[in-house]
């Protein structure tokens, strides 16, 4: 933001004007500033105490954009007239003009103290803080930019740009609570401003103040009915306020006013997805395709919805209409997966074989043929698929790894090693490679090589787990949760994540079987040095120290794991087992309750909770809690089983019988 200078046009009246000063005044009035300033500077150098001469010299410098010289002149003037309001105010403007904001602020805050009723000083001080904030923001110093924007609003609450800039910074890091008072006040000051209204809406939604956000978006949508995004936001906020009929009305109106607009249909599909209203979703997809019959992405979504509702032939018919590219097997793979979902594995295998015979096979196609044959128990055909696939793709890490596993299970370690050697460069991306190396070396008695590869498997699996967890977290948003394709992707990532976490546990089991306690301690310390943020490593170290009888040290390591990953089932389970072993049943109970809250499908946790509740005298409280949970839970079967047991142990047999007899 550029700060403008406000100089008063001066008329010079001196009691004793010399001829050269008269000429300088004429030159000044005629716009010859460079010539005039020479004379003014001569008088200043001679010690003149005439304020107008200093101001005139400064004005000349400003007119030729020599702000530094103007500043020097006015600093001299301020020494002579330290209490002069105009001199200080103009000097502050000059410092702001040359981006010396701190000095400008110092001068203006001094004026604000001396002239507390001066609105001009406060407004200008606010503008200087705004400019200082913009400058700091420009070099990505958001901390000091925020401070300057806040100060700008202290001196002028109506400084629109300072308010918007401050809110942008706060929202960029989702500091909704900090942003709320500034957004709320701004909405009050600038009621008809769209930017402020949208920011206020975002803040309120971020704080889940949906009732407060509703009138804001209603106002925006009413003012601009032709703005599609406002209409979609309005429908969304109706949903969040549990007003589904109003949301549906907005969607219907939007489909009418914005015919064929994809965002409208996807938003309404998302709404119906919440209620699993598959038939309505199918109807919406069909209506949209009436406008855009060649939209392949929507066709696939419709086909997936047909599959979900058991209409597999209809889905295949859609797949067959999709455009094909030469050598791309993706359409045929969709049809094959359709047959698989229908339960017709033989048809799926036939479809895959069609891809292969057509010359469009990829390593994934061969791998899928292997998996399908293995799924129906035809191990020979599964193995043949891998061998044939490697004939076309001899360097494929996926195919070589699966064949190596088969050879290992057939007790052919040399053949397995040959396959693993071909792909060992891919160990970082496929941790199972190192794991199977370790298994083979362990069987052959090559202890050091086995330990080395178990360690590599752990390191690679943990890194891949972290990467997949990041992908999984990024996928868990409202849009993807409404999208069947995204859900399939999430499921695949989750499956790999579980595979790698299981691989870590199995690798540690292998290390424990091979290492002495001191050797295991060295291995785990080396891993922690390499990966200090991996909670599972501290977890395993805590277990190792527990086995060694060093419970004090073990607790320290387990607490580190808990700090790093408090919402991890393995960590809470390990804490529960440790505290139970230590005899601290209250802490053990709390840990197992947390583990159960993270994963309610593991019977062991229910059993531990019941046993520990008995030991701590908390059984009746547990029964009360589980009864309430049972009444509100959707998936109740496993809870029902253990609730009945807990009630019987608490001698609350009538309640247990009532649940047993429930239909």
């Amino acid at each position: 933001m550029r700060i403008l200078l406000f100089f008063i046009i001066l008329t010079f009246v001196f009691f004793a004007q010399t001829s050269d000063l008269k000429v300088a005044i004429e030159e000044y009035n005629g716009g010859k500033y460079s010539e005039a300033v020479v004379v003014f500077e001569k008088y200043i150098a001679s010690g003149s105490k005439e304020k107008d001469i200093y101001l005139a010299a400064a004005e000349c410098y400003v007119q030729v954009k020599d702000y530094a010289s103007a500043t020097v002149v006015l600093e001299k003037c301020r020494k002579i007239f330290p209490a002069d309001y105009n001199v200080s105010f103009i000097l502050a403007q000059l410092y702001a003009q040359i981006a010396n904001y701190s000095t400008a602020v110092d001068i203006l805050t001094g004026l604000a103290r001396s002239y507390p009723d001066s609105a001009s000083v406060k407004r200008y001080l606010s503008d200087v803080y705004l400019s200082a904030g913009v400058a700091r923001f420009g070099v990505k110093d958001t901390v000091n930019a925020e401070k300057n924007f806040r100060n700008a609003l202290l001196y002028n609450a109506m400084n629109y740009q300072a308010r918007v800039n401050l809110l942008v910074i706060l929202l960029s890091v989702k500091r909704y609570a900090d942003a709320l008072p500034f957004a709320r006040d701004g909405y009050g000051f600038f009621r008809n401003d769209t930017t402020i209204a949208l920011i206020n809406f975002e803040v309120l939604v971020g704080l889940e103040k949906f009732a407060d956000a509703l009138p804001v978006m209603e106002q925006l949508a009413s003012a601009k009915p032709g703005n599609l995004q406002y209409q979609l936001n309005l429908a969304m906020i109706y949903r969040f306020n549990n007003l589904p009929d109003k949301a549906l009305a907005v969607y219907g109106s939007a489909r009418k006013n914005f015919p064929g607009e994809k965002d409208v249909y996807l938003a309404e599909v998302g709404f119906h997805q919440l209620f699993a209203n598959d038939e309505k979703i199918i109807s919406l997809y069909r209506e949209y395709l009436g406008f855009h019959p060649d939209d392949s992405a929507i066709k696939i979504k419709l086909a997936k919805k047909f599959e979900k509702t058991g209409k597999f032939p209809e889905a295949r018919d859609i797949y067959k209409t999709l455009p094909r590219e030469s050598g791309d097997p993706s359409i045929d793979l969709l049809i094959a997966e359709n047959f698989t979902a229908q339960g017709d594995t033989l048809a799926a295998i036939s479809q895959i074989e069609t891809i292969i015979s057509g010359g469009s096979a990829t390593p994934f196609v061969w791998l899928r043929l292997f998996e399908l044959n293995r799924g129906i128990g035809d191990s020979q055909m599964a193995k043949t698929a891998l061998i044939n696939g490697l004939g076309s793709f001899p360097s494929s890490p996926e195919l070589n790894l699966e064949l190596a596993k088969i050879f290992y299970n057939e007790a052919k370690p040399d053949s397995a090693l040959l396959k693993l050697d071909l792909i060992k460069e891919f160990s970082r991306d496929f941790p199972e490679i190192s794991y199977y190396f370790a298994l083979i070396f362990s069987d052959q008695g090559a202890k050091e090589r086995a330990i080395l590869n178990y360690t590599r498997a752990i390191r690679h699996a943990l890194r891949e787990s972290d990467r997949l967890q990041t992908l999984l977290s990024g996928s868990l948003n409202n849009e993807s949760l409404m999208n069947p394709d995204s859900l399939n992707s999430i499921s695949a990532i989750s499956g790999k994540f579980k595979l790698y976490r299981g691989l870590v546990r199995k690798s540690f089991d292998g290390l424990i079987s091979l290492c002495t306690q001191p050797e295991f301690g060295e291995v785990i310390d080396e891993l922690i040095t390499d990966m200090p943020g991996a909670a599972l490593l501290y977890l395993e170290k805590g277990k190792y120290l527990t086995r060694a009888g060093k419970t004090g040290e073990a607790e320290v390591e387990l607490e580190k794991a808990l700090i790093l990953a408090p919402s991890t089932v393995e960590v809470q389970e390990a804490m529960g087992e440790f505290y139970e072993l230590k005899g601290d049943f209250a802490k053990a109970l709390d840990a197992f309750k947390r583990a159960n809250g993270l994963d309610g499908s593991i019977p062991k946790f229910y059993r531990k909770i019941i046993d520990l509740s008995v030991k701590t005298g908390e059984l009746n409280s547990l029964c009360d809690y589980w009864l309430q949970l049972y009444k509100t839970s959707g998936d109740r079967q496993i809870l029902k089983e253990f609730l009945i047991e807990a009630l019987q142990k608490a001698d609350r047999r009538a309640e247990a019988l009532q649940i047993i007899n429930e239909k």
Side-chain angles (χ1 to χ4, degrees):
M1 172 186 173
R2 185 184 176 192
I3 299 177
L4 301 177
L5 300 176
F6 301 97
F7 282 93
I8 299 172
I9 300 300
L10 302 172
T11 301
F12 297 96
V13 181
F14 299 105
F15 292 108
Q17 293 182 355
T18 62
S19 59
D20 58 345
L21 188 56
K22 290 179 181 178
V23 171
I25 293 171
E26 290 175 0
E27 289 173 334
Y28 171 88
N29 291 330
K32 297 179 179 180
Y33 302 110
S34 297
E35 293 84 348
V37 78
V38 174
V39 178
F40 295 143
E41 281 283 20
K42 183 181 73 173
Y43 278 87
I44 291 171
S46 68
S48 172
K49 298 294 189 295
E50 293 289 347
K51 181 171 63 174
D52 284 349
I53 290 181
Y54 286 89
L55 291 175
E59 173 74 359
C60 288
Y61 282 127
V62 168
Q63 292 295 339
V64 297
K65 294 182 170 52
D66 185 355
Y67 302 114
S69 296
T71 303
V72 171
V73 169
L74 284 187
E75 280 288 8
K76 292 177 181 178
C77 186
R78 190 164 67 128
K79 289 180 180 178
I80 301 171
F81 306 101
D84 189 285
Y85 174 94
N86 285 329
V87 170
S88 294
F89 189 60
I90 295 170
L91 181 59
Q93 294 179 70
L94 283 169
Y95 275 120
Q97 186 68 34
I98 60 175
N100 188 341
Y101 301 118
S102 60
T103 303
V105 164
D106 288 343
I107 294 171
L108 289 168
T109 50
L111 283 175
R113 285 192 295 270
S114 300
Y115 302 91
D117 296 328
S118 173
S120 298
V121 169
K122 291 177 182 177
R123 280 196 303 271
Y124 201 77
L125 182 53
S126 177
D127 287 343
V128 171
Y129 273 123
L130 169 61
S131 295
V134 170
R136 298 320 305 164
F137 189 81
V139 294
K140 299 181 179 180
D141 180 4
T142 54
V143 172
N144 283 306
E146 178 186 336
K147 290 178 181 177
N148 279 292
F149 294 143
R150 285 177 179 269
N151 285 332
L153 293 175
L154 283 176
Y155 285 96
N156 180 12
M158 300 299 291
N159 191 324
Y160 172 85
Q161 197 58 56
R163 186 174 297 276
V164 170
N165 290 355
L166 174 60
L167 286 166
V168 167
I169 288 177
L170 295 175
L171 291 183
S172 69
V173 288
K174 298 184 179 181
R175 289 168 55 190
Y176 300 117
D178 291 337
L180 180 60
F182 297 101
R184 183 182 55 222
D185 290 349
Y187 187 59
F189 294 148
F190 309 101
R191 175 70 66 171
N192 296 319
D193 184 83
T194 300
T195 300
I196 290 288
L198 285 172
I199 290 174
N200 189 40
F201 176 75
E202 182 179 347
V203 170
L204 293 169
V205 171
L207 291 170
E208 299 186 6
K209 293 179 177 291
F210 303 131
D212 294 335
L214 178 56
V216 178
M217 188 48 62
E218 284 180 327
Q219 177 193 340
L220 284 167
S222 175
K224 296 187 177 180
N227 187 304
L228 174 59
Q229 192 56 56
Y230 292 174
Q231 303 307 314
L232 295 181
N233 285 346
L234 180 59
M236 176 194 72
I237 204 65
Y238 278 138
R239 285 165 52 182
F240 290 171
N241 279 281
N242 197 26
L243 297 168
D245 292 340
K246 287 193 172 185
L248 282 173
V250 173
Y251 287 132
S253 176
R255 278 191 282 114
K256 179 180 178 181
N257 295 328
F258 303 92
E261 184 61 50
K262 190 172 187 176
D263 287 343
V264 175
Y265 285 89
L266 291 179
E268 188 170 357
V269 163
F271 172 82
H272 290 291
Q273 197 78 35
L274 292 171
F275 305 99
N277 193 346
D278 294 326
E279 293 304 322
K280 180 60 178 178
I281 292 171
I282 288 171
S283 172
L284 287 168
Y285 282 147
R286 282 177 158 165
E287 182 180 318
Y288 171 80
L289 288 170
F291 292 101
H292 306 281
D294 297 326
D295 191 323
S296 295
I298 296 298
K299 282 185 173 182
I300 291 174
K301 289 179 184 295
L302 176 57
K304 293 291 185 184
K305 190 57 67 175
F306 276 139
E307 288 175 346
K308 185 183 176 186
T309 55
K311 300 172 183 176
F312 297 102
E314 289 89 335
R316 287 196 294 274
D317 289 341
I318 291 175
Y319 291 142
K320 291 172 184 176
T321 68
L322 294 172
R324 294 171 178 265
E325 293 184 13
S326 178
D328 182 1
S330 57
I331 304 303
D332 288 309
L333 281 170
L334 285 170
I335 295 172
E337 296 304 335
N338 175 284
F339 281 122
T340 303
Q342 189 176 356
D344 192 347
T345 307
L346 292 177
I349 290 173
S350 176
Q351 189 71 33
I352 295 288
E353 289 173 341
T354 300
I355 298 173
I356 294 169
S357 63
S360 300
T362 63
F364 177 78
V365 170
W366 286 106
L367 186 66
R368 197 70 189 100
L369 182 59
F370 156 74
E371 291 169 344
L372 290 170
N373 278 297
R374 183 178 60 181
I376 60 173
D378 194 340
S379 57
Q380 187 55 48
M381 287 302 296
K383 184 176 179 181
T384 300
L386 292 175
I387 293 170
N388 290 339
L390 286 167
S392 301
F393 305 97
S395 301
S396 167
E398 297 94 340
L399 299 177
N400 276 295
L401 176 58
E402 292 301 331
L403 191 54
K405 292 180 188 179
I406 290 174
F407 285 142
Y408 177 77
N409 291 324
E410 291 176 345
K412 297 177 181 178
D414 292 338
S415 297
L417 281 174
L418 284 173
K419 292 300 173 186
L420 293 171
D421 274 328
L422 286 172
I423 56 173
K424 60 186 178 184
E425 65 185 282
F426 299 101
S427 296
R428 193 178 188 91
D429 297 324
F430 297 89
E432 284 182 289
I433 295 173
S434 296
Y435 175 72
Y436 275 90
F437 267 127
L439 287 178
I440 294 169
F441 290 137
S442 180
D443 292 342
Q444 293 177 344
K447 177 179 174 179
E448 290 186 4
R449 298 181 75 181
I451 291 173
L452 175 64
N453 279 281
Y454 276 133
T455 304
R456 283 177 178 166
I458 291 168
R459 186 179 285 112
H460 297 329
L462 284 175
R463 283 178 177 146
E464 278 297 290
S465 294
D466 286 345
R467 184 182 68 81
L468 291 173
Q469 194 165 28
T470 300
L471 288 174
L472 192 61
S473 299
S475 299
L476 294 176
N477 55 55
N478 285 339
E479 180 181 352
S480 63
L481 289 176
M482 304 303 171
N483 184 341
D485 299 328
S486 296
L487 287 174
N488 290 337
S489 174
I490 291 169
S491 177
I493 294 171
S494 180
K496 267 197 168 184
F497 178 76
K498 290 178 180 177
L499 169 69
Y500 292 145
R501 297 306 275 258
L503 192 64
V504 170
R505 286 192 292 271
K506 290 191 291 186
S507 296
F508 272 118
D509 289 341
L511 285 172
I512 291 168
S513 69
L514 289 173
C515 296
T516 63
Q517 282 194 353
E519 287 172 338
F520 185 86
E522 290 178 9
V523 169
I524 196 72
D525 284 340
E526 180 183 337
L527 284 167
I528 287 174
T529 299
D530 187 36
M531 306 178 72
L536 286 182
L537 296 179
Y538 297 99
L539 190 64
E540 291 298 331
K541 186 173 183 180
K543 292 178 181 178
Y544 147 70
L545 290 168
T546 301
R547 292 192 299 272
K550 301 177 181 179
T551 55
E553 295 176 47
E555 186 169 5
V556 171
E557 299 302 324
L558 291 171
E559 290 287 351
K560 290 178 184 176
L562 187 62
I563 291 170
L564 287 169
S567 299
T568 304
V569 173
E570 297 100 321
V571 172
Q572 293 294 348
E573 180 183 6
M575 296 301 297
E577 289 173 344
F578 173 79
Y579 285 125
E580 184 178 16
L581 182 66
K582 191 180 175 183
D584 192 338
F585 300 128
K587 284 187 176 181
L589 175 60
D590 181 65
F592 279 116
K593 281 182 177 178
R594 292 177 187 275
N596 179 249
L598 293 166
D599 188 345
S601 67
I602 301 176
K604 171 187 173 180
F605 296 158
Y606 291 94
R607 168 74 54 225
K608 287 286 188 182
I609 290 169
I610 290 173
D611 293 345
L612 290 165
S613 293
V614 171
K615 291 178 180 179
T616 57
E618 296 288 331
L619 186 57
N620 273 307
S621 297
L622 174 69
C623 289
D624 292 339
Y625 172 68
W626 277 0
L627 276 168
Q628 183 63 32
L629 190 63
Y630 179 73
K631 293 175 183 176
T632 57
S633 175
D635 183 10
R636 307 189 297 176
Q637 188 53 45
I638 189 170
L639 176 60
K640 178 179 180 179
E641 175 186 342
F642 287 99
L643 174 57
I644 291 169
E645 180 181 335
L647 288 168
Q648 288 175 335
K649 280 197 173 187
D651 202 25
R652 294 165 64 166
R653 301 186 185 280
E655 292 168 286
L657 187 61
Q658 182 180 354
I659 293 174
I660 291 171
N661 292 331
E662 276 187 1
K663 294 182 180 180

